[in-house]
Amino acid sequence: MRYTVLTAFLLTPLFANAEAYERPVPQSQSATAEFWFMIASFALIIALWGVQKLVSRR
């Protein structure tokens, strides 16, 4: 019985077939996503400008 279990454990990897890895394809951005990214970028620039003005006064 020991040899049967040992043989089963040793032969198990031979029957396992793994699928090859396929890299995910990035999706293109929509015009709406680009618009909101532009708005967020401008908001960040304005916020950084405001912080610079606040810090330079002190």
Side-chain angles (χ1 to χ4, degrees):
M1 184 67 184
R2 265 192 319 198
Y3 295 115
T4 307
V5 174
L6 180 63
T7 305
F9 280 130
L10 291 176
L11 293 178
T12 301
L14 296 176
F15 300 115
N17 294 326
E19 191 174 310
Y21 177 71
E22 295 181 18
R23 295 183 66 178
V25 177
Q27 299 295 322
S28 61
Q29 289 185 345
S30 64
T32 306
E34 290 182 2
F35 170 76
W36 284 112
F37 184 79
M38 180 185 67
I39 297 297
S41 298
F42 286 146
L44 178 63
I45 291 170
I46 292 170
L48 288 173
W49 177 75
V51 169
Q52 192 271 336
K53 285 291 195 185
L54 182 67
V55 170
S56 67
R57 289 183 183 175
R58 291 183 176 203

